[in-house]
Structures are given as C-alpha cells and as structure tokens.
Amino acid sequence: GAGVSQSPRYKVAKRGQDVALRCDPISGHVSLFWYQQALGQGPEFLTYFQNEAQLDKSGLPSDRFFAERPEGSVSTLKIQRTQQEDSAVYLCASSLGSEPTYNEQFFGPGTRLTVL
Amino acid sequence: SQQGEEDPQALSIQEGENATMNCSYKTSINNLQWYRQNSGRGLVHLILIRSNEREKHSGRLRVTLDTSKKSSSLLITASRAADTASYFCATDPRRSNYQLIWGAGTKLIIKP
C-alpha cells in the first residue's frame, strides 16, 4: 500500500515568496501532523489535525504559517512571505487512530525548503 | 522546545557489536517512542513503550524505560551496516494530548 507522500520534495523560494507544501496521508488515517526539522535536529511539532479539525496549532512559529485539511485527507502547509529562517525540512506524518500520541506515526519523505 | 535529549550525540562501532543509546526527558509522560531516520527510508517508527512498562523487545531491539529517572535506553544487538542512521526518542508529555516532543538524536555509524 502507498505510504505518506509529500510534494514537492524540494522547493527553493526567494525571500518574501509564498509557498505551499502538500501532504497525502495514508488513506483512512484520522490523525495528521506537520513537523519542521532543522539540520542535525529532531522534528519540531507544528500542528495536528484530527480529520478536518485542526486541534492543535501551537507549534506554528508565526502567523505566516497556515495549515489546512479541508476534507480530512490531503493537507497543505502554507508559508507566506518566506524568510531565511524558514529553511528546513517539513515533514508530514499520519496515524490511524484518534489518540495521536498512543499510536505509531508514519512519515512522508519531507519537503526540503530553501529560502534564498 | 525539545523535551528529550539523546546521548551520545554520535556513536561509531564495528559491525556485529551492540549499540546503546540513551534518552532523557523532563516531564511525566504517557509513553515513549523510538524512531530511526536515514536518507533512504526517512523517519520510521521502531518501538513504543508505555509508562507502565519497564522493558520491551522487538527483534534485535531492546528498549528500557525508567520513569523514576526519566530516561530510556535503546539497545541494538549484533549491529549491521543497515543500522547506520540517526535515532530519535519522542515523548508525549501529559500536558499535551497531541504533541510528540523529540530529542536531537543519536547519529549511529556502523563500520564494516
């Protein structure tokens, strides 16, 4: 079966541009997470969806970051007016149940964002 | 902010030897998970241990959890070249229902 997919795999943006990163979770997975991973560091939580509801967005670093999952499947992370400090790998993960921290998370390959 | 800290930051051993990595965390947890990340397969879940468990095994992996010391260890026995990767622990602090908090990882290199 297909795993979690993300697109694009690589994105280069000029400072000030808007970008949109897409995540296709495993079909039927209720929970969806976005993480930001800097080089040499572990993932940092950004936001969590349970179906289409965004239940936790406390990790989003600024109001330039926005995420949605309108139909409870595909999710998009949008970053407006990108800054150099936004350069990182953005990881999406999904899990089957609605108790997200009690279940294995399945990760996509990530989108490497470079802001020039 | 990162809850977990892995130790050591880097570890290089010969193929066939055992590798032990440690994770310390700061607040009470419900469970602790270990993940592996390499360039080929991305982040992959290895094992989950609940706060009321002390030890868990999965193939060549053995995980222990000491909630009194707020620490966990991951032992990989009979290491293989394919075990070369970064290993992360992730905890779910009881203050949050949704977040996993990750350490910075241990980079493991298996020398042939």
Side-chain angles (χ1 to χ4, degrees):
Chain A
V4 178
S5 62
Q6 293 185 245
S7 62
R9 292 291 310 278
Y10 303 91
K11 177 69 178 177
V12 178
K14 291 183 179 177
R15 189 163 54 95
Q17 278 186 328
D18 298 348
V19 298
L21 313 180
R22 177 187 169 107
C23 172
D24 282 84
I26 294 173
S27 178
H29 277 197
V30 168
S31 295
L32 185 144
F33 310 80
W34 283 99
Y35 293 92
Q36 182 189 62
Q37 186 175 26
L39 189 64
Q41 298 296 314
E44 292 262 3
F45 172 86
L46 293 178
T47 187
Y48 166 69
F49 289 87
Q50 191 174 100
N51 294 309
E52 68 279 3
Q54 189 175 23
L55 299 186
D56 189 341
K57 57 180 181 179
S58 63
L60 296 176
S62 77
D63 59 7
R64 297 185 295 103
F65 287 70
F66 172 77
E68 59 183 4
R69 194 187 185 196
E71 297 178 358
S73 55
V74 170
S75 178
T76 304
L77 176 67
K78 298 178 180 178
I79 309 173
Q80 296 177 324
R81 304 181 304 282
T82 52
Q83 304 294 316
Q84 284 189 324
E85 61 262 28
D86 300 334
S87 295
V89 175
Y90 290 85
L91 297 168
C92 175
S94 68
S95 67
L96 181 60
S98 57
E99 291 186 332
T101 64
Y102 283 80
N103 295 288
E104 171 184 359
Q105 294 187 18
F106 295 83
F107 282 81
T111 294
R112 182 179 297 276
L113 173 65
T114 302
V115 181
L116 302 176
Chain B
S1 61
Q2 293 187 319
Q3 146 99 310
E5 292 185 7
E6 286 89 346
D7 165 55
Q9 290 187 336
L11 180 61
S12 180
I13 61 173
Q14 292 293 139
E15 194 168 18
E17 293 181 340
N18 296 341
T20 299
M21 289 158 275
N22 303 295
C23 168
S24 59
Y25 56 92
K26 298 173 185 171
T27 64
S28 296
I29 62 172
N30 294 309
N31 62 65
L32 184 146
Q33 303 185 40
W34 283 92
Y35 285 78
R36 178 182 65 213
Q37 186 176 39
N38 60 33
S39 57
R41 293 194 59 198
L43 259 169
V44 175
H45 179 265
L46 295 176
I47 201 162
L48 181 152
I49 186 165
R50 305 203 185 280
S51 60
N52 61 354
E53 297 176 309
R54 292 296 167 259
E55 187 170 313
K56 205 161 182 179
H57 296 255
S58 176
R60 294 183 296 112
L61 306 180
R62 172 178 169 253
V63 168
T64 62
L65 179 64
D66 187 335
T67 53
S68 66
K69 295 181 179 177
K70 293 187 170 60
S71 68
S72 173
S73 68
L74 170 66
L75 168 68
I76 304 173
T77 60
S79 63
R80 305 168 181 169
D83 295 328
T84 294
S86 291
Y87 291 81
F88 296 91
C89 67
T91 56
D92 68 328
R94 290 180 179 170
R95 59 178 168 78
S96 168
N97 290 329
Y98 310 119
Q99 296 189 25
L100 284 183
I101 310 297
W102 299 70
T106 291
K107 188 166 185 177
L108 175 65
I109 296 173
I110 308 299
K111 297 179 286 186

